[in-house]
Amino acid sequence: MISLRNISVKFGETFAVQDVSVAAEPGEFIALVGPNGSGKSSFLKSAAGLIPHEGSSNLASNRRIRAKQLAYLAQNATASGEHKIQNIVALGRTPHIGSLSRLTDVDSQIVKAAMEKCGVTKFKDRVFKTLSGGEQTRVHLARTLATDTALLLADEPVTALDPYYQLSVMEVLREASNEGTTVIAALHDLSLARKFCDRVWVMNSGRLVADGPPDETLTPKVLREVFRITPEGEIAR
Amino acid sequence: MNARLWNPRNWTLGLCGLCGFTIIASLFFGSTQIELRESLAGLLGQSTSDINTIIQTIRLPRALLAACVGAGLGASGAALQGFTRNPLAAPGLLGFSACAALGAVLALYFGVSKLVTPAAIIFAFAGAVAMTVFSRRKPGASGLVLVGIGIGALATAVTGLMMNLAPNPWALSELVYWLMGSLKNADLPDVMFAAPLTLLGLGLLLLSGPALRVLGMGEDTAQSLGISVSRTQLLVVTGCALCIGSGVAVAGAIGFVGLFIPHILRFVVGPDEAWLIPLSALGGASFLVLVDMGIRITAGPGTPLYLGIVTSLIGVPFFLWLAWRQS
């Protein structure tokens, strides 16, 4: 499980994230939603320990230990274009093997299973730059699964993808949570959050403004006040 | 090409062989014709005293020094390109060479040619420290490129000022020739000085290799996998300062090797940063030994060709061809 208390992230004088406290259980799939600039990315990065922040976390502060506790899928994650897919997915094992040793058979099995789950096995010998955006996202998803952590943080994993890849990526994340991983994914598509997630965290202006099951959090009031839209999908005036 | 045969390990073995071969070849090619058997005997001090002298005090130090300098340049270029994920990054662009050259030029300007070597090393390190300090707020590719180019430009400007202030044409020509890069004064003490520093630098760069492989996915992703960007940057910058500082100290500024050797090897061997560093070291060493051998063979009565000029003349067209092919 993950427990974060009073997390704040400051850029200069402004708060990107202000005093957010959350906790999640194993196997929960949580959608982190909020308008652009509400602090979702900064919150995920602070949870992953990538940016300076205030507050406390039950995750290790040591970089190498933390890397075994959580996997992080960056927004628009990239890779050296000439690298083969199987090598990129194998880099997910980095926290477990130390930088100078090689993959063991167990590592290779985990990498293989992760590629299988994300449907990228058929690309394993192709190089990264020849894949489409949706395929590249699934490669990175496979890379995060290969790290085999109890917590997976994904920053807008489906934002740039077509409907098919949106659903397929969400399904992989759902399956990971069914197997016991805590998944926290920043999303813009509220219908995907409703369809796949157990819980929704709504952020607005750096604060957590709602926390609960989709039906209780994505209410008409929240839609109007936070997202400035109506339940029918019109602009709220 | 058979992919199984041409894996990085076999490339490494092959380039080791090439490097050793060029060093041995450079012992018996030169402006004086010496038979292979005689040169090997000269190496062991078993030939006539003339030949012993030529082999032991001229050809061997030059070849070894060329290998050291070339290895340092190649590995530094590969590590910098890997760390910045920028194909243009090279020790020449990021100010390492310029800082070391400034140190040497200052020593020459003030007439203490004994201090050229230590000054080059000290200034290369001062440049590395400045890069680390100025990019400490945000260590990583973009910070290092900006700060490195800035520091390099400053060092080049001050070098220009020294040339501007040169008291007479002879002093100026000494500076200019030195900046062209040459191994013509190479001797065994130079090798004893440059080789350990280069090896130490190569060791640091090799250590950074696996982290560079992960950094190819971007700094956030690499950090989430437990890689420290600042620690990797420190390894790369210190390794480059050792390699480039010692190289410039003994041979002057030698251009383009650090830029195009890693490119060629990436093109033929593949993109793995951890392998590219040792491969570029071997490739750079072989290349520089070959070029210097060519210079010695063609040396006539006039001013000999300068190594740095020749490497640039070879490197630039090749680089343009590569850029043209890729676009």
Side-chain angles (χ1 to χ4, degrees), chain A residues 62-106:
Chain A
N62 177 286
R63 195 180 63 244
R64 302 194 59 135
I65 300 174
R66 195 177 54 229
K68 295 183 195 173
Q69 297 178 328
L70 71 92
Y72 171 78
L73 178 55
Q75 194 174 358
N76 310 320
T78 176
S80 314
E82 304 291 338
H83 279 281
K84 279 188 186 164
I85 300 312
Q86 54 182 346
N87 297 343
I88 292 172
V89 177
L91 289 177
R93 297 303 295 163
T94 305
H96 300 278
I97 59 171
S99 52
L100 291 177
S101 39
R102 323 179 134 264
L103 292 187
T104 63
D105 288 346
V106 177

Side-chain angles (χ1 to χ4, degrees), chain B residues 74 77-78 81 86-90 256-270 276 280 318-319 322-323 326:
Chain B
Q81 287 168 16
N86 184 333
L88 287 176
F256 270 92
V257 177
L259 182 62
F260 76 89
I261 291 289
H263 272 283
I264 299 173
L265 288 164
R266 191 175 294 115
F267 182 69
V268 293
V269 188
L276 273 176
S280 301
F318 191 88
F319 190 72
L322 212 64
Q326 279 185 345

Side-chain angles (χ1 to χ4, degrees), chain A residues 45 48-50 63-64 66-67 70-72 74 77-80 82-83 88 91-95 99-100 102 140 143 147, chain B residues 9 85 206-207 210-221 223-229 231 266 270-273 275:
Chain A
K45 281 185 187 175
L50 301 178
R63 195 180 63 244
R64 302 194 59 135
R66 195 177 54 229
L70 71 92
Y72 171 78
T78 176
S80 314
E82 304 291 338
H83 279 281
I88 292 172
L91 289 177
R93 297 303 295 163
T94 305
S99 52
L100 291 177
R102 323 179 134 264
H140 272 289
R143 191 261 306 157
T147 312
Chain B
R9 183 169 307 128
R85 301 182 293 291
L206 284 175
L207 276 182
L212 296 182
R213 199 187 266 158
V214 184
L215 269 170
M217 296 191 293
E219 281 155 19
D220 280 345
T221 302
Q223 273 181 290
S224 77
L225 286 165
I227 301 294
S228 162
V229 175
R231 189 172 152 269
R266 191 175 294 115
D272 189 335
E273 289 80 5
W275 277 109

Side-chain angles (χ1 to χ4, degrees), chain B residues 188-208:
Chain B
L188 272 179
D190 282 344
V191 178
M192 302 311 263
F193 167 79
L197 292 177
T198 305
L199 285 176
L200 186 61
L202 287 177
L204 296 182
L205 296 178
L206 284 175
L207 276 182
S208 76

Side-chain angles (χ1 to χ4, degrees), chain B:
Chain B
M1 224 174 1
N2 186 334
R4 199 177 277 258
L5 185 63
W6 292 107
N7 61 31
R9 183 169 307 128
N10 289 359
W11 271 105
T12 310
L13 289 175
L15 281 173
C16 270
L18 177 66
C19 188
F21 177 77
T22 51
I23 290 175
I24 291 171
S26 69
L27 292 182
F28 68 95
F29 282 116
S31 49
T32 312
Q33 280 290 272
I34 303 175
E35 294 287 317
L36 175 58
R37 180 194 290 267
E38 285 295 300
S39 0
L40 291 178
L43 185 62
L44 301 169
Q46 308 281 315
S47 188
T48 65
S49 69
D50 280 359
I51 291 181
N52 286 351
T53 308
I54 290 177
I55 299 294
Q56 288 182 350
T57 64
I58 300 176
R59 292 192 186 173
L60 183 66
R62 257 183 104 142
L64 292 178
L65 212 53
C68 271
V69 174
L73 286 167
S76 301
L80 287 173
Q81 287 168 16
F83 183 76
T84 61
R85 301 182 293 291
N86 184 333
L88 287 176
L93 183 80
L94 289 189
F96 289 97
S97 308
C99 286
L102 171 61
V105 164
L106 280 173
L108 288 173
Y109 177 81
F110 289 109
V112 269
S113 51
K114 249 191 276 171
L115 289 184
V116 165
T117 304
I121 291 277
I122 288 166
F123 271 74
F125 260 97
V129 169
M131 280 180 220
T132 308
V133 169
F134 284 119
S135 64
R136 119 185 145 264
R137 282 262 283 320
K138 195 185 176 306
S142 51
L144 185 66
V145 170
L146 281 176
V147 171
I149 290 178
I151 289 173
L154 179 65
T156 308
V158 180
T159 304
L161 180 68
M162 289 297 110
M163 287 156 74
N164 191 163
L165 297 178
N168 55 56
W170 294 279
L172 177 62
S173 71
E174 190 187 8
L175 297 182
V176 171
Y177 279 134
W178 193 86
L179 281 174
M180 287 179 183
S182 166
L183 287 166
K184 66 177 177 331
N185 296 324
D187 54 16
L188 272 179
D190 282 344
V191 178
M192 302 311 263
F193 167 79
L197 292 177
T198 305
L199 285 176
L200 186 61
L202 287 177
L204 296 182
L205 296 178
L206 284 175
L207 276 182
S208 76
L212 296 182
R213 199 187 266 158
V214 184
L215 269 170
M217 296 191 293
E219 281 155 19
D220 280 345
T221 302
Q223 273 181 290
S224 77
L225 286 165
I227 301 294
S228 162
V229 175
S230 54
R231 189 172 152 269
T232 310
Q233 175 171 322
L234 198 62
L235 274 178
V236 169
V237 167
T238 314
C240 288
L242 281 166
C243 288
I244 303 305
S246 62
V248 170
V250 294
I254 290 173
F256 270 92
V257 177
L259 182 62
F260 76 89
I261 291 289
H263 272 283
I264 299 173
L265 288 164
R266 191 175 294 115
F267 182 69
V268 293
V269 188
D272 189 335
E273 289 80 5
W275 277 109
L276 273 176
I277 293 172
L279 286 168
S280 301
L282 292 167
S286 312
F287 174 76
L288 220 54
V289 174
L290 271 178
V291 172
D292 190 53
M293 181 163 71
I295 287 173
R296 283 192 296 108
I297 293 173
T298 55
T303 309
L305 286 171
Y306 276 80
L307 188 57
I309 303 295
V310 179
T311 57
S312 298
L313 283 176
I314 297 174
V316 175
F318 191 88
F319 190 72
L320 289 174
W321 174 77
L322 212 64
W324 173 75
R325 250 190 79 106
Q326 279 185 345
S327 61

